[in-house]
Amino acid sequence: MLLPEPIQNLIDAFSRLPGVGPKTASRLTFYLLRAPENLAHDLAEALTNLKTGTTYCRTCYNITSAGREECEICSSPTRDASLICVVEEPLDVIALERTGGYQGRYHVLHGALSPIEGIGPEQLKMRELIGRVRSGEVREVILATNPSMEGDYTAAYLRQQLQPLGLRLTRLARGLPVGGDLEYADQGTLLRALSGRQEMSE
Amino acid sequence: MMEQRDKRQRVLKLEGVVLRHSDWGEADRLIWLFTLELGKIRAVAKGVRKIRSRKAGHLEPFTRTSLLLAKGRDILLITQADTLDGFLTLREDLAGTTYASYIVELLDRFTYEEGENRALYRLLVESLRRLADEQDRDLVARYYELRLLDLVGFRPELFRCLGCGEEIQPQDQYFSAAEGGALCPRCGSGASGAQPISKDALKYMRHFQRSSFADAKKARMTTEVQRELENILQYYLTYLLEQRLNTPAFLRRLRQPERLIDLPDGLDQA
């Protein structure tokens, strides 16, 4: 059966999304076709605004609303500008913000280095980070890239680049997750948990 | 190998080295492994991007791990993983990770899925161990390259000229990627694509091709010969693969770190 063009177009558009196959795409399309009109309208509007309504913060490269030069965190006077937390993705900023325990600023790299995939420093916001750090007021850089091979590689690389600038460089601690099970921990995690153990006797 | 097993067998127990991974779905990863029993395979590890995953730490690249897999309809699922050798020192410095990435990328490019090659598996594990022990990493890489070429069927001919068949004499010669080996000065000087190779570089190439690593380790190459050998092998490998490798650019960065990002004047030497 040949579908009318508008329907086929939407199915094709949906199936380009990650994790969406042709069946899911058809199901979503037909759901929207039968749903109240405003649902489709709201979705369409949200989609157009997604691109036109957002931009990158010129300081930390996090995503922010269009028209702003800096994101809320970078423009906030209460956030400590001498502390920069380097993360891979905007979603990592959200995860850290949810803790409510961090009062410094961020820098979003938009990825991590990967020799095998060929992702080099020029594909990430690294030069921008060095520029920021070089400008002077930064005392400490927290390397909060993921504890994976790529994240570790990125942290080691940034360490090599930032060390000559003579500031404090830290890496997020690594160890056992809450609710975890020692029995299933890998050797690397256990070793680090051991070496980073905390004093309880005081 | 797979066919020889019981067709109804739904669970596989394998040993393998993690080559690389990519994100898959919500919290899963697609993992490429080189296994002892089946050669290269691709399998899905569910939930390994969650912080409390019991498998994640055992499935990081370069880890030698013991695996339990379930055969799905068209994909393998990793149900258990337990580290046999984490090669942890490789992860701790830039050079270690970069060299390990290089040997893994080479293996990945030269192999197809499900081609058992036990000798190649052993070479991979031994080379990762040597890199982790911080032996001369360039030597480990050169030795690995020559043995890998052997094991995947591209052993270069270094003892007879591929033009005239004469025995190669101990003098400066040519190396042709298209012919797959050495050319004597007479045959090589006009041949297109043939690169000059010094007597010493050729000597070490032959040596690595025939010797155990313990013997190869005794080689005392000068930096120039080492670089020449590296370039010749790189030229041969990219010719065979018909595409550029990703990792050599990172190896070059290691050698010239100050070029990565311009530092303000005076800080370069700090």
Side-chain angles (χ1 to χ4, degrees), chain A residues 115-119 121-122 130 134 148-150 152-153 157 160-161 164-165 177-179 181 184 186-187 191, chain B residues 19 21 52 54 57-58 60-61 83 88 91 94 97-98 101 104 246-247 250 253 257 260-264 267:
Chain A
I116 295 183
E117 308 293 334
I119 299 169
E122 59 288 335
I130 312 277
R134 225 159 61 176
S148 61
M149 188 269 279
E150 291 82 358
D152 283 344
Y153 193 75
Y157 175 82
Q160 183 198 55
Q161 294 297 308
L165 298 173
V178 175
D181 208 328
Y184 289 101
D186 61 283
Q187 288 84 330
L191 272 174
Chain B
L19 301 177
H21 57 210
R52 277 176 54 191
R54 290 168 167 182
H58 303 279
E60 279 288 299
T83 305
L88 294 176
R91 295 279 302 269
L94 270 182
T97 311
T98 314
S101 299
V104 159
N246 285 329
T247 40
F250 288 81
R253 278 199 190 97
L260 294 173
I261 292 171
D262 305 321
L263 287 173
L267 278 172

Side-chain angles (χ1 to χ4, degrees), chain B:
Chain B
M1 187 74 194
M2 242 161 121
E3 273 66 42
Q4 286 163 19
R5 286 160 193 262
D6 185 352
K7 284 244 167 73
R8 287 167 305 172
Q9 193 181 355
R10 310 285 297 168
V11 177
L12 297 171
K13 199 171 181 302
L14 305 175
E15 175 192 323
V17 172
V18 179
L19 301 177
R20 60 194 170 93
H21 57 210
S22 63
D23 290 352
W24 180 266
E26 182 83 4
D28 311 336
R29 261 189 192 132
L30 195 57
I31 302 195
W32 280 261
L33 297 133
F34 197 76
T35 62
L36 174 68
E37 296 87 350
L38 295 176
K40 189 158 76 177
I41 59 165
R42 199 169 32 153
V44 171
K46 291 272 189 192
V48 284
R49 279 149 68 204
K50 291 184 184 154
I51 211 108
R52 277 176 54 191
S53 164
R54 290 168 167 182
K55 296 189 289 266
H58 303 279
L59 291 171
E60 279 288 299
F62 321 136
T63 308
R64 186 166 73 93
T65 178
S66 132
L67 300 152
L68 210 58
L69 297 115
K71 256 198 252 181
R73 250 178 316 160
D74 40 21
I75 194 100
L76 289 166
L77 268 175
I78 299 177
T79 53
Q80 284 178 37
D82 198 13
T83 305
L84 297 169
D85 203 338
F87 302 114
L88 294 176
T89 48
L90 282 181
R91 295 279 302 269
E92 280 159 18
D93 69 326
L94 270 182
T97 311
T98 314
Y99 276 86
S101 299
Y102 175 66
I103 68 166
V104 159
E105 187 188 19
L106 268 188
L107 180 114
D108 190 29
R109 300 283 187 105
F110 271 106
T111 51
Y112 300 96
E113 276 185 47
E114 296 197 0
E116 182 199 351
N117 193 335
R118 289 185 181 236
L120 188 53
Y121 180 80
R122 269 195 302 278
L123 175 69
L124 173 68
V125 172
E126 283 165 5
S127 301
L128 287 173
R129 164 80 7 243
R130 285 165 198 152
L131 289 177
D133 290 346
E134 286 191 71
Q135 304 187 17
D136 179 346
R137 284 178 169 144
D138 281 310
L139 181 85
V140 174
R142 301 294 84 75
Y143 185 78
Y144 172 82
E145 288 164 339
L146 277 159
R147 302 321 290 232
L148 173 98
L149 286 168
D150 259 24
L151 294 170
V152 295
F154 291 107
R155 179 189 176 101
E157 170 59 60
L158 304 172
F159 294 91
R160 295 208 165 270
C161 168
L162 288 162
C164 59
E166 289 293 312
E167 198 177 326
I168 290 288
Q169 301 301 318
Q171 60 187 46
D172 291 359
Q173 308 281 352
Y174 285 84
F175 185 89
S176 162
E179 300 286 342
L183 291 173
C184 71
R186 213 152 20 92
C187 298
S189 60
S192 71
Q195 297 209 349
I197 180 170
S198 73
K199 182 180 78 183
D200 282 346
L202 189 67
K203 185 178 83 186
Y204 286 117
M205 239 170 139
R206 288 170 159 199
H207 178 42
F208 292 173
Q209 209 173 44
R210 293 185 296 183
S211 313
S212 67
F213 184 74
D215 284 336
K217 215 166 56 173
K218 290 175 196 142
R220 290 279 168 268
M221 281 187 281
T222 62
T223 317
E224 293 85 69
V225 173
Q226 141 64 24
R227 288 281 175 274
E228 184 189 353
L229 199 55
E230 181 178 354
N231 289 335
I232 293 266
L233 280 164
Q234 208 48 232
Y235 148 74
Y236 187 41
L237 291 163
T238 38
Y239 175 87
L240 292 172
L241 290 169
E242 295 180 358
Q243 57 186 331
R244 261 190 29 204
L245 292 154
N246 285 329
T247 40
F250 288 81
L251 290 170
R252 284 195 295 277
R253 278 199 190 97
L254 279 181
R255 291 184 192 135
Q256 298 177 310
E258 72 277 11
R259 289 243 186 116
L260 294 173
I261 292 171
D262 305 321
L263 287 173
D265 298 338
L267 278 172
D268 292 20
Q269 276 77 42

Side-chain angles (χ1 to χ4, degrees), chain A residues 99-166:
Chain A
T99 66
Y102 178 65
Q103 286 307 312
R105 300 196 175 170
Y106 293 95
H107 190 90
V108 184
L109 294 172
H110 291 276
L113 295 174
S114 171
I116 295 183
E117 308 293 334
I119 299 169
E122 59 288 335
Q123 275 134 285
L124 306 174
K125 301 287 178 201
M126 287 215 164
R127 207 173 279 276
E128 292 80 355
L129 173 64
I130 312 277
R132 258 180 101 179
V133 173
R134 225 159 61 176
S135 69
E137 49 178 349
V138 182
R139 274 184 306 113
E140 176 177 351
V141 173
I142 305 170
L143 300 170
T145 49
N146 287 331
S148 61
M149 188 269 279
E150 291 82 358
D152 283 344
Y153 193 75
T154 310
Y157 175 82
L158 281 173
R159 172 176 178 232
Q160 183 198 55
Q161 294 297 308
L162 293 171
Q163 223 163 23
L165 298 173

